[in-house]
Amino acid sequence: MSCTDLFGEGGYFGLALTVLVYWASSVLWQRSGRAALLHPILISTLFIAAVLMAFECSYEGYAAQSRPLMLGLGLVVVLLAVPLARNRAYLLASVQPCWVALAIGAAVSIVATLALPLSMGADPSVIPTMLPKSATAGVAVGISAEIGGVPGLTAVIVIGAGVVGASLGPKVLDLAGVADERARGFALGVASHAIGTARALQMSDTAGAFAALGMVLNAVLTVLLAPVVMMLVSV
Amino acid sequence: MSGVMQLLVAAFLGELFALVLGLPVPGPAVGMSILFVAFVCAGWQIEGIERLFDALAPHFGVVFVPAAVGFIASLDLLAHAWLAAAMAVLVATCLAVLTVGLAFQAVARICARGETS
């Protein structure tokens, strides 16, 4: 059995593998009492990456076979209109906390994303690649290209931010005593876009609605702010 | 219109608008806004698509896995910047979750107190 047998053109092994591994890791996660570091997105990703690397298979073959799931990603985002519509009275009643939390979140996110790598001696050229970190991948990659980053690396960092937020985020919120479902959802959406939103939907419909809102607001804000921050930094 | 049709129509219109108008926001985000407006203002029935959503929502995570596995194709890029990237991702994301959650909860409490008094 070689890589071309398994991940050749027109096959479905990659798709089947992904669904099967995700299902198994979901069962594991439920059994563990939803342990943060066993979140199924994290475990499935690492497992499949390990399989591909162990058999020296390229990512391209696997990606081509998993294409239906990537198309599903777009439909999942469109479907988020459902919790938004269901919770619209709730959303309208929370306009002030949304704006304040979004503004503070964007400020903290930008400062931390700039200050941490630079204080560790990283080259300033990494800034445009890292800056759109919390925006949803489609938006972030576009911004990164526009402000002179490396889009491929931005995509990895964005997905990393999603997985970190989805796995560790709920634990961080527990420790900080954030019990309000709206606040928990909004925080996951702002910091971890669609992956955080998928996690918030596992907490409650209300958390999911606020996560979807936070994700969209943060994406729009990042589009507007990233070029401004780049201008300020390069002066 | 069935729930599946509503979803596909909104997704298609979202891609179309994003493409034709050259919006910086991706098609699915525009599609989500269109679907939301259709429910709230255009009187689209939500029941059919609600059943679809409720059945799928617990399993949404699976669609992110193929894209996430893509990090193995960027390992050589990561070799130069892995420490900075890892720190920014881990610390900045946790900090963002923490501050947004605390700020939202604090402001929500202040607003609730203002309404009751």
Tab-separated table of all heavy atoms in Angstrom, chain A residues 22 45 49 59 69 74 77-78 80-81 83-84 86 88 105 116 120 130 133 139 153 159-161 176-180 182-183 187 191 202 216, chain B residues 26 28 32 35-36 40 50 53-54 58 60-63 66-68 70 72 74 78 83-84 87-89 91 93 97-98 100-101 104-105 107-108:
chain	number	residue	atom	x	y	z
A	22	TYR	N	-12.400	11.611	13.563
A	22	TYR	CA	-13.115	12.645	14.320
A	22	TYR	C	-14.166	12.008	15.230
A	22	TYR	O	-14.314	12.381	16.387
A	22	TYR	CB	-13.777	13.658	13.383
A	22	TYR	CG	-14.356	14.834	14.145
A	22	TYR	CD1	-13.553	15.891	14.541
A	22	TYR	CD2	-15.701	14.855	14.517
A	22	TYR	CE1	-14.066	16.950	15.270
A	22	TYR	CE2	-16.225	15.905	15.247
A	22	TYR	CZ	-15.393	16.943	15.618
A	22	TYR	OH	-15.911	17.985	16.347
A	45	THR	N	-6.630	16.292	14.275
A	45	THR	CA	-5.630	16.963	13.440
A	45	THR	C	-4.249	16.355	13.666
A	45	THR	O	-3.546	16.010	12.708
A	45	THR	CB	-5.596	18.468	13.775
A	45	THR	OG1	-6.885	19.017	13.526
A	45	THR	CG2	-4.568	19.186	12.934
A	49	ALA	N	-2.192	14.152	10.915
A	49	ALA	CA	-0.874	14.688	10.532
A	49	ALA	C	0.204	13.639	10.798
A	49	ALA	O	1.101	13.430	9.962
A	49	ALA	CB	-0.578	15.969	11.311
A	59	TYR	N	0.518	16.378	1.846
A	59	TYR	CA	-0.747	16.968	2.297
A	59	TYR	C	-1.710	17.130	1.121
A	59	TYR	O	-2.917	16.950	1.275
A	59	TYR	CB	-0.480	18.325	2.955
A	59	TYR	CG	-1.740	19.097	3.286
A	59	TYR	CD1	-2.649	18.595	4.207
A	59	TYR	CD2	-2.019	20.312	2.665
A	59	TYR	CE1	-3.809	19.283	4.501
A	59	TYR	CE2	-3.173	21.010	2.954
A	59	TYR	CZ	-4.070	20.486	3.874
A	59	TYR	OH	-5.220	21.173	4.158
A	69	LEU	N	-15.365	18.203	2.801
A	69	LEU	CA	-15.443	18.786	4.148
A	69	LEU	C	-15.076	20.259	4.128
A	69	LEU	O	-15.643	21.063	4.855
A	69	LEU	CB	-14.513	18.037	5.107
A	69	LEU	CG	-14.994	16.658	5.548
A	69	LEU	CD1	-13.928	15.969	6.379
A	69	LEU	CD2	-16.278	16.793	6.354
A	74	GLY	N	-17.811	26.303	4.489
A	74	GLY	CA	-18.573	27.488	4.073
A	74	GLY	C	-20.036	27.383	4.469
A	74	GLY	O	-20.631	28.338	4.970
A	77	VAL	N	-20.676	28.064	8.143
A	77	VAL	CA	-20.707	29.495	8.470
A	77	VAL	C	-22.064	30.094	8.101
A	77	VAL	O	-22.644	30.855	8.877
A	77	VAL	CB	-19.544	30.242	7.771
A	77	VAL	CG1	-19.676	31.741	7.935
A	77	VAL	CG2	-18.208	29.772	8.325
A	78	VAL	N	-22.603	29.728	6.919
A	78	VAL	CA	-23.923	30.239	6.520
A	78	VAL	C	-24.991	29.787	7.526
A	78	VAL	O	-25.863	30.563	7.920
A	78	VAL	CB	-24.289	29.770	5.092
A	78	VAL	CG1	-25.677	30.259	4.710
A	78	VAL	CG2	-23.268	30.264	4.085
A	80	LEU	N	-24.822	29.454	10.579
A	80	LEU	CA	-24.774	30.175	11.859
A	80	LEU	C	-25.848	31.260	11.934
A	80	LEU	O	-26.102	31.818	13.007
A	80	LEU	CB	-23.394	30.785	12.091
A	80	LEU	CG	-22.272	29.767	12.312
A	80	LEU	CD1	-20.939	30.465	12.464
A	80	LEU	CD2	-22.561	28.926	13.544
A	81	ALA	N	-26.511	31.573	10.789
A	81	ALA	CA	-27.645	32.504	10.822
A	81	ALA	C	-28.769	31.949	11.699
A	81	ALA	O	-29.559	32.717	12.246
A	81	ALA	CB	-28.156	32.768	9.405
A	83	PRO	N	-28.696	30.151	14.830
A	83	PRO	CA	-28.659	30.612	16.224
A	83	PRO	C	-28.752	32.133	16.358
A	83	PRO	O	-29.318	32.628	17.327
A	83	PRO	CB	-27.317	30.095	16.747
A	83	PRO	CG	-26.507	29.785	15.547
A	83	PRO	CD	-27.483	29.392	14.484
A	84	LEU	N	-28.228	32.869	15.368
A	84	LEU	CA	-28.335	34.332	15.426
A	84	LEU	C	-29.800	34.758	15.378
A	84	LEU	O	-30.234	35.614	16.149
A	84	LEU	CB	-27.557	34.972	14.266
A	84	LEU	CG	-26.040	35.004	14.399
A	84	LEU	CD1	-25.398	35.477	13.104
A	84	LEU	CD2	-25.619	35.912	15.541
A	86	ARG	N	-32.458	32.870	16.114
A	86	ARG	CA	-33.169	32.360	17.284
A	86	ARG	C	-32.927	33.215	18.524
A	86	ARG	O	-33.773	33.316	19.396
A	86	ARG	CB	-32.705	30.929	17.587
A	86	ARG	CG	-33.423	29.883	16.777
A	86	ARG	CD	-33.397	28.550	17.468
A	86	ARG	NE	-32.084	27.944	17.489
A	86	ARG	CZ	-31.856	26.658	17.183
A	86	ARG	NH1	-32.852	25.869	16.838
A	86	ARG	NH2	-30.659	26.158	17.250
A	88	ARG	N	-32.126	36.522	18.558
A	88	ARG	CA	-31.971	37.929	18.178
A	88	ARG	C	-32.432	38.895	19.262
A	88	ARG	O	-31.832	39.955	19.434
A	88	ARG	CB	-32.636	38.222	16.846
A	88	ARG	CG	-34.121	38.003	16.779
A	88	ARG	CD	-34.576	38.381	15.376
A	88	ARG	NE	-35.994	38.181	15.183
A	88	ARG	CZ	-36.533	37.031	14.808
A	88	ARG	NH1	-35.754	35.974	14.617
A	88	ARG	NH2	-37.836	36.920	14.657
A	105	GLY	N	-11.012	43.478	23.529
A	105	GLY	CA	-10.431	42.252	22.977
A	105	GLY	C	-9.493	42.537	21.816
A	105	GLY	O	-8.404	41.966	21.726
A	116	LEU	N	4.578	39.982	22.205
A	116	LEU	CA	5.149	38.699	22.616
A	116	LEU	C	6.270	38.223	21.691
A	116	LEU	O	7.375	37.970	22.161
A	116	LEU	CB	4.052	37.634	22.716
A	116	LEU	CG	3.189	37.717	23.968
A	116	LEU	CD1	1.975	36.815	23.833
A	116	LEU	CD2	4.005	37.302	25.174
A	120	MET	N	10.571	38.290	22.411
A	120	MET	CA	11.342	37.044	22.404
A	120	MET	C	12.416	37.077	21.334
A	120	MET	O	13.026	36.058	21.023
A	120	MET	CB	10.419	35.868	22.167
A	120	MET	CG	9.402	35.730	23.273
A	120	MET	SD	8.350	34.349	22.972
A	120	MET	CE	9.550	33.045	23.034
A	130	MET	N	1.406	37.669	11.517
A	130	MET	CA	0.705	37.304	12.750
A	130	MET	C	-0.499	38.185	13.055
A	130	MET	O	-1.413	37.759	13.749
A	130	MET	CB	1.667	37.455	13.939
A	130	MET	CG	3.013	36.839	13.703
A	130	MET	SD	3.034	35.253	14.432
A	130	MET	CE	3.987	35.529	15.798
A	133	LYS	N	-4.310	37.261	13.246
A	133	LYS	CA	-4.456	35.977	13.927
A	133	LYS	C	-5.875	35.568	14.310
A	133	LYS	O	-6.271	34.416	14.141
A	133	LYS	CB	-3.589	36.007	15.180
A	133	LYS	CG	-3.684	34.789	16.059
A	133	LYS	CD	-2.799	34.932	17.265
A	133	LYS	CE	-3.288	35.989	18.238
A	133	LYS	NZ	-4.575	35.649	18.858
A	139	VAL	N	-10.660	35.580	5.806
A	139	VAL	CA	-10.383	37.007	5.938
A	139	VAL	C	-8.899	37.224	6.234
A	139	VAL	O	-8.236	38.048	5.611
A	139	VAL	CB	-11.237	37.620	7.077
A	139	VAL	CG1	-10.870	39.072	7.320
A	139	VAL	CG2	-12.710	37.496	6.739
A	153	LEU	N	1.609	30.829	6.221
A	153	LEU	CA	1.915	30.767	7.649
A	153	LEU	C	0.773	31.401	8.462
A	153	LEU	O	0.428	30.914	9.545
A	153	LEU	CB	3.239	31.489	7.907
A	153	LEU	CG	3.862	31.344	9.285
A	153	LEU	CD1	3.966	29.882	9.667
A	153	LEU	CD2	5.240	31.985	9.310
A	159	ILE	N	-5.540	28.975	12.361
A	159	ILE	CA	-6.143	27.709	12.780
A	159	ILE	C	-5.643	27.325	14.167
A	159	ILE	O	-6.396	26.826	15.004
A	159	ILE	CB	-5.875	26.611	11.735
A	159	ILE	CG1	-6.661	26.945	10.459
A	159	ILE	CG2	-6.280	25.240	12.254
A	159	ILE	CD1	-6.245	26.163	9.248
A	160	GLY	N	-4.354	27.624	14.441
A	160	GLY	CA	-3.802	27.387	15.774
A	160	GLY	C	-4.566	28.172	16.830
A	160	GLY	O	-4.919	27.642	17.888
A	161	ALA	N	-4.860	29.459	16.532
A	161	ALA	CA	-5.623	30.291	17.473
A	161	ALA	C	-7.007	29.686	17.701
A	161	ALA	O	-7.525	29.707	18.815
A	161	ALA	CB	-5.746	31.719	16.937
A	176	ALA	N	-11.509	32.074	35.389
A	176	ALA	CA	-11.701	33.514	35.603
A	176	ALA	C	-13.085	33.806	36.183
A	176	ALA	O	-13.404	34.954	36.473
A	176	ALA	CB	-11.508	34.259	34.282
A	177	GLY	N	-13.915	32.774	36.323
A	177	GLY	CA	-15.247	32.967	36.890
A	177	GLY	C	-16.228	33.605	35.927
A	177	GLY	O	-17.175	34.274	36.342
A	178	VAL	N	-16.021	33.429	34.618
A	178	VAL	CA	-16.972	33.940	33.625
A	178	VAL	C	-18.040	32.864	33.397
A	178	VAL	O	-17.802	31.870	32.721
A	178	VAL	CB	-16.266	34.297	32.294
A	178	VAL	CG1	-17.270	34.810	31.277
A	178	VAL	CG2	-15.177	35.327	32.534
A	179	ALA	N	-19.220	33.079	34.008
A	179	ALA	CA	-20.278	32.067	33.940
A	179	ALA	C	-21.368	32.448	32.943
A	179	ALA	O	-22.118	31.594	32.486
A	179	ALA	CB	-20.886	31.865	35.330
A	180	ASP	N	-21.462	33.732	32.587
A	180	ASP	CA	-22.479	34.232	31.660
A	180	ASP	C	-22.304	33.580	30.282
A	180	ASP	O	-21.258	33.742	29.647
A	180	ASP	CB	-22.316	35.764	31.564
A	180	ASP	CG	-23.430	36.420	30.769
A	180	ASP	OD1	-23.957	35.787	29.836
A	180	ASP	OD2	-23.762	37.578	31.077
A	182	ARG	N	-23.505	34.256	27.454
A	182	ARG	CA	-23.288	35.215	26.369
A	182	ARG	C	-21.824	35.632	26.324
A	182	ARG	O	-21.207	35.684	25.258
A	182	ARG	CB	-24.165	36.460	26.588
A	182	ARG	CG	-25.660	36.167	26.589
A	182	ARG	CD	-26.442	37.366	27.074
A	182	ARG	NE	-26.011	37.761	28.420
A	182	ARG	CZ	-26.294	38.933	29.000
A	182	ARG	NH1	-27.024	39.832	28.364
A	182	ARG	NH2	-25.885	39.199	30.212
A	183	ALA	N	-21.244	35.912	27.497
A	183	ALA	CA	-19.845	36.341	27.576
A	183	ALA	C	-18.911	35.218	27.127
A	183	ALA	O	-17.937	35.447	26.403
A	183	ALA	CB	-19.511	36.759	29.007
A	187	ALA	N	-16.569	35.609	23.778
A	187	ALA	CA	-15.112	35.538	23.923
A	187	ALA	C	-14.523	34.497	22.962
A	187	ALA	O	-13.510	34.750	22.305
A	187	ALA	CB	-14.746	35.200	25.367
A	191	ALA	N	-11.953	35.536	19.856
A	191	ALA	CA	-10.564	35.073	19.912
A	191	ALA	C	-10.290	33.913	18.962
A	191	ALA	O	-9.180	33.760	18.468
A	191	ALA	CB	-10.218	34.659	21.338
A	202	GLN	N	-21.302	23.755	21.382
A	202	GLN	CA	-21.358	22.546	22.216
A	202	GLN	C	-21.696	22.912	23.660
A	202	GLN	O	-22.043	22.060	24.453
A	202	GLN	CB	-20.019	21.801	22.157
A	202	GLN	CG	-19.782	21.163	20.797
A	202	GLN	CD	-18.355	20.643	20.620
A	202	GLN	OE1	-17.406	21.182	21.180
A	202	GLN	NE2	-18.208	19.603	19.826
A	216	VAL	N	-17.962	37.483	13.498
A	216	VAL	CA	-18.211	38.387	12.375
A	216	VAL	C	-17.718	39.799	12.696
A	216	VAL	O	-17.020	40.430	11.895
A	216	VAL	CB	-19.711	38.413	12.021
A	216	VAL	CG1	-19.996	39.462	10.968
A	216	VAL	CG2	-20.148	37.048	11.535
B	26	PRO	N	-15.372	37.116	3.195
B	26	PRO	CA	-15.633	35.963	2.335
B	26	PRO	C	-17.120	35.665	2.136
B	26	PRO	O	-17.953	36.036	2.969
B	26	PRO	CB	-14.944	34.810	3.062
B	26	PRO	CG	-14.761	35.262	4.460
B	26	PRO	CD	-14.704	36.754	4.441
B	28	PRO	N	-19.164	33.024	2.498
B	28	PRO	CA	-20.015	32.426	3.532
B	28	PRO	C	-20.488	33.426	4.591
B	28	PRO	O	-21.631	33.333	5.057
B	28	PRO	CB	-19.096	31.370	4.148
B	28	PRO	CG	-18.171	30.996	3.053
B	28	PRO	CD	-17.920	32.261	2.278
B	32	MET	N	-24.320	34.162	5.426
B	32	MET	CA	-24.897	34.120	6.763
B	32	MET	C	-25.751	35.366	7.018
B	32	MET	O	-26.866	35.264	7.540
B	32	MET	CB	-23.791	34.020	7.810
B	32	MET	CG	-24.255	34.139	9.235
B	32	MET	SD	-22.943	33.816	10.418
B	32	MET	CE	-22.214	35.400	10.559
B	35	LEU	N	-29.013	35.114	5.023
B	35	LEU	CA	-29.949	34.156	5.623
B	35	LEU	C	-30.589	34.755	6.878
B	35	LEU	O	-31.796	34.618	7.103
B	35	LEU	CB	-29.206	32.858	5.953
B	35	LEU	CG	-30.055	31.646	6.328
B	35	LEU	CD1	-31.052	31.305	5.233
B	35	LEU	CD2	-29.174	30.433	6.608
B	36	PHE	N	-29.781	35.452	7.681
B	36	PHE	CA	-30.303	36.097	8.893
B	36	PHE	C	-31.379	37.123	8.535
B	36	PHE	O	-32.468	37.128	9.115
B	36	PHE	CB	-29.156	36.776	9.650
B	36	PHE	CG	-29.575	37.501	10.892
B	36	PHE	CD1	-29.881	36.794	12.045
B	36	PHE	CD2	-29.688	38.884	10.909
B	36	PHE	CE1	-30.277	37.459	13.199
B	36	PHE	CE2	-30.089	39.554	12.054
B	36	PHE	CZ	-30.383	38.839	13.203
B	40	VAL	N	-35.397	37.230	9.572
B	40	VAL	CA	-35.891	38.306	10.431
B	40	VAL	C	-36.828	39.252	9.666
B	40	VAL	O	-37.859	39.670	10.192
B	40	VAL	CB	-34.705	39.086	11.047
B	40	VAL	CG1	-35.200	40.277	11.852
B	40	VAL	CG2	-33.887	38.162	11.937
B	50	GLU	N	-33.884	24.762	11.030
B	50	GLU	CA	-33.554	24.558	12.449
B	50	GLU	C	-33.269	23.092	12.731
B	50	GLU	O	-32.334	22.763	13.455
B	50	GLU	CB	-34.735	24.995	13.333
B	50	GLU	CG	-34.603	26.391	13.882
B	50	GLU	CD	-35.689	26.691	14.898
B	50	GLU	OE1	-36.870	26.427	14.598
B	50	GLU	OE2	-35.333	27.196	15.969
B	53	PHE	N	-29.915	22.321	11.328
B	53	PHE	CA	-28.867	22.921	12.155
B	53	PHE	C	-28.664	22.130	13.453
B	53	PHE	O	-27.534	21.793	13.815
B	53	PHE	CB	-29.226	24.373	12.486
B	53	PHE	CG	-28.251	25.026	13.426
B	53	PHE	CD1	-27.104	25.617	12.936
B	53	PHE	CD2	-28.476	25.036	14.792
B	53	PHE	CE1	-26.189	26.197	13.794
B	53	PHE	CE2	-27.562	25.615	15.661
B	53	PHE	CZ	-26.424	26.198	15.155
B	54	ASP	N	-29.783	21.808	14.130
B	54	ASP	CA	-29.669	21.123	15.417
B	54	ASP	C	-29.071	19.725	15.275
B	54	ASP	O	-28.383	19.250	16.172
B	54	ASP	CB	-31.046	21.054	16.096
B	54	ASP	CG	-31.499	22.435	16.556
B	54	ASP	OD1	-30.627	23.282	16.826
B	54	ASP	OD2	-32.720	22.662	16.631
B	58	PRO	N	-23.609	19.663	16.707
B	58	PRO	CA	-22.621	19.024	17.579
B	58	PRO	C	-21.411	18.478	16.813
B	58	PRO	O	-20.387	18.169	17.412
B	58	PRO	CB	-23.411	17.869	18.217
B	58	PRO	CG	-24.847	18.205	18.021
B	58	PRO	CD	-24.916	18.989	16.753
B	60	PHE	N	-19.956	20.030	13.991
B	60	PHE	CA	-19.353	21.054	13.122
B	60	PHE	C	-17.822	20.952	13.080
B	60	PHE	O	-17.203	21.266	12.081
B	60	PHE	CB	-19.736	22.461	13.592
B	60	PHE	CG	-21.063	22.938	13.076
B	60	PHE	CD1	-21.642	24.090	13.582
B	60	PHE	CD2	-21.727	22.247	12.077
B	60	PHE	CE1	-22.863	24.541	13.119
B	60	PHE	CE2	-22.953	22.691	11.595
B	60	PHE	CZ	-23.519	23.841	12.124
B	61	GLY	N	-17.227	20.540	14.191
B	61	GLY	CA	-15.770	20.522	14.295
B	61	GLY	C	-15.076	19.769	13.173
B	61	GLY	O	-13.968	20.121	12.763
B	62	VAL	N	-15.720	18.736	12.645
B	62	VAL	CA	-15.068	17.873	11.654
B	62	VAL	C	-14.665	18.638	10.388
B	62	VAL	O	-13.662	18.317	9.757
B	62	VAL	CB	-15.961	16.643	11.317
B	62	VAL	CG1	-17.169	17.042	10.483
B	62	VAL	CG2	-15.163	15.581	10.593
B	63	VAL	N	-15.396	19.693	10.027
B	63	VAL	CA	-15.072	20.408	8.780
B	63	VAL	C	-13.765	21.207	8.886
B	63	VAL	O	-13.212	21.616	7.877
B	63	VAL	CB	-16.208	21.356	8.306
B	63	VAL	CG1	-17.505	20.604	8.090
B	63	VAL	CG2	-16.399	22.513	9.256
B	66	PRO	N	-9.515	18.958	7.956
B	66	PRO	CA	-8.620	18.933	6.782
B	66	PRO	C	-7.782	20.205	6.645
B	66	PRO	O	-6.586	20.124	6.335
B	66	PRO	CB	-9.588	18.795	5.605
B	66	PRO	CG	-10.797	18.157	6.179
B	66	PRO	CD	-10.912	18.695	7.578
B	67	ALA	N	-8.376	21.379	6.905
B	67	ALA	CA	-7.613	22.630	6.815
B	67	ALA	C	-6.538	22.670	7.902
B	67	ALA	O	-5.410	23.103	7.656
B	67	ALA	CB	-8.544	23.835	6.945
B	68	ALA	N	-6.875	22.202	9.108
B	68	ALA	CA	-5.921	22.242	10.216
B	68	ALA	C	-4.717	21.334	9.952
B	68	ALA	O	-3.589	21.674	10.301
B	68	ALA	CB	-6.613	21.848	11.524
B	70	GLY	N	-3.301	21.010	7.362
B	70	GLY	CA	-2.439	21.761	6.441
B	70	GLY	C	-1.169	22.303	7.057
B	70	GLY	O	-0.258	22.683	6.328
B	72	ILE	N	1.149	20.718	8.263
B	72	ILE	CA	2.306	19.886	7.903
B	72	ILE	C	2.936	20.345	6.586
B	72	ILE	O	4.103	20.087	6.331
B	72	ILE	CB	1.967	18.367	7.823
B	72	ILE	CG1	0.934	18.089	6.735
B	72	ILE	CG2	1.502	17.836	9.155
B	72	ILE	CD1	0.772	16.609	6.454
B	74	SER	N	3.407	23.446	5.908
B	74	SER	CA	4.127	24.695	6.201
B	74	SER	C	5.222	24.495	7.231
B	74	SER	O	5.695	25.452	7.820
B	74	SER	CB	3.156	25.757	6.719
B	74	SER	OG	2.072	25.891	5.859
B	78	LEU	N	7.467	27.222	9.321
B	78	LEU	CA	7.395	27.299	10.776
B	78	LEU	C	8.777	27.159	11.418
B	78	LEU	O	9.007	27.657	12.513
B	78	LEU	CB	6.459	26.210	11.317
B	78	LEU	CG	4.964	26.460	11.149
B	78	LEU	CD1	4.177	25.220	11.517
B	78	LEU	CD2	4.540	27.622	12.028
B	83	LEU	N	8.806	29.542	17.457
B	83	LEU	CA	8.680	29.975	18.846
B	83	LEU	C	7.762	31.202	18.940
B	83	LEU	O	6.846	31.243	19.769
B	83	LEU	CB	10.066	30.295	19.421
B	83	LEU	CG	10.106	30.442	20.942
B	83	LEU	CD1	9.655	29.152	21.615
B	83	LEU	CD2	11.506	30.807	21.414
B	84	ALA	N	8.019	32.194	18.061
B	84	ALA	CA	7.189	33.395	18.039
B	84	ALA	C	5.737	33.026	17.720
B	84	ALA	O	4.801	33.499	18.359
B	84	ALA	CB	7.720	34.377	17.005
B	87	MET	N	4.108	31.168	20.748
B	87	MET	CA	3.819	32.075	21.858
B	87	MET	C	2.607	32.950	21.547
B	87	MET	O	1.715	33.115	22.378
B	87	MET	CB	5.024	32.989	22.133
B	87	MET	CG	6.158	32.323	22.872
B	87	MET	SD	5.599	31.521	24.365
B	87	MET	CE	5.352	32.958	25.392
B	88	ALA	N	2.620	33.533	20.326
B	88	ALA	CA	1.533	34.427	19.958
B	88	ALA	C	0.214	33.674	19.989
B	88	ALA	O	-0.787	34.160	20.509
B	88	ALA	CB	1.775	35.019	18.575
B	89	VAL	N	0.218	32.463	19.436
B	89	VAL	CA	-1.013	31.690	19.363
B	89	VAL	C	-1.505	31.304	20.757
B	89	VAL	O	-2.654	31.543	21.119
B	89	VAL	CB	-0.809	30.433	18.489
B	89	VAL	CG1	-1.947	29.452	18.680
B	89	VAL	CG2	-0.697	30.836	17.026
B	91	VAL	N	-0.436	32.262	24.073
B	91	VAL	CA	-0.644	33.292	25.096
B	91	VAL	C	-1.657	34.343	24.641
B	91	VAL	O	-2.584	34.677	25.373
B	91	VAL	CB	0.696	33.946	25.498
B	91	VAL	CG1	0.468	35.003	26.563
B	91	VAL	CG2	1.670	32.886	25.994
B	93	THR	N	-4.033	34.177	22.419
B	93	THR	CA	-5.397	33.666	22.302
B	93	THR	C	-6.040	33.512	23.673
B	93	THR	O	-7.189	33.912	23.877
B	93	THR	CB	-5.413	32.323	21.538
B	93	THR	OG1	-4.784	32.514	20.277
B	93	THR	CG2	-6.832	31.842	21.318
B	97	VAL	N	-9.360	35.544	25.006
B	97	VAL	CA	-10.550	34.876	25.563
B	97	VAL	C	-10.857	35.452	26.947
B	97	VAL	O	-11.998	35.807	27.259
B	97	VAL	CB	-10.335	33.343	25.654
B	97	VAL	CG1	-11.455	32.680	26.446
B	97	VAL	CG2	-10.250	32.727	24.261
B	98	LEU	N	-9.800	35.556	27.762
B	98	LEU	CA	-9.953	36.025	29.142
B	98	LEU	C	-10.505	37.448	29.201
B	98	LEU	O	-11.499	37.713	29.883
B	98	LEU	CB	-8.580	35.958	29.828
B	98	LEU	CG	-8.514	36.374	31.296
B	98	LEU	CD1	-9.197	35.319	32.144
B	98	LEU	CD2	-7.061	36.533	31.741
B	100	VAL	N	-11.944	39.400	26.825
B	100	VAL	CA	-13.259	39.590	26.208
B	100	VAL	C	-14.351	39.041	27.127
B	100	VAL	O	-15.374	39.694	27.356
B	100	VAL	CB	-13.325	38.919	24.815
B	100	VAL	CG1	-14.740	38.976	24.250
B	100	VAL	CG2	-12.364	39.592	23.853
B	101	GLY	N	-14.122	37.855	27.687
B	101	GLY	CA	-15.117	37.249	28.576
B	101	GLY	C	-15.366	38.107	29.809
B	101	GLY	O	-16.511	38.391	30.166
B	104	PHE	N	-17.083	41.534	28.841
B	104	PHE	CA	-18.499	41.351	28.485
B	104	PHE	C	-19.327	41.164	29.748
B	104	PHE	O	-20.347	41.820	29.958
B	104	PHE	CB	-18.651	40.133	27.559
B	104	PHE	CG	-20.017	39.994	26.963
B	104	PHE	CD1	-20.208	40.203	25.599
B	104	PHE	CD2	-21.118	39.663	27.736
B	104	PHE	CE1	-21.475	40.089	25.037
B	104	PHE	CE2	-22.369	39.540	27.181
B	104	PHE	CZ	-22.547	39.748	25.835
B	105	GLN	N	-18.857	40.272	30.629
B	105	GLN	CA	-19.625	39.965	31.840
B	105	GLN	C	-19.753	41.197	32.735
B	105	GLN	O	-20.830	41.474	33.276
B	105	GLN	CB	-18.945	38.825	32.591
B	105	GLN	CG	-19.739	38.339	33.792
B	105	GLN	CD	-19.268	36.984	34.277
B	105	GLN	OE1	-19.773	35.952	33.877
B	105	GLN	NE2	-18.280	36.999	35.145
B	107	VAL	N	-19.582	44.488	31.878
B	107	VAL	CA	-20.474	45.500	31.302
B	107	VAL	C	-21.929	45.022	31.365
B	107	VAL	O	-22.830	45.809	31.671
B	107	VAL	CB	-20.062	45.837	29.844
B	107	VAL	CG1	-21.044	46.817	29.229
B	107	VAL	CG2	-18.660	46.398	29.803
B	108	ALA	N	-22.160	43.738	31.110
B	108	ALA	CA	-23.522	43.208	31.170
B	108	ALA	C	-24.109	43.378	32.566
B	108	ALA	O	-25.276	43.721	32.732
B	108	ALA	CB	-23.533	41.732	30.754
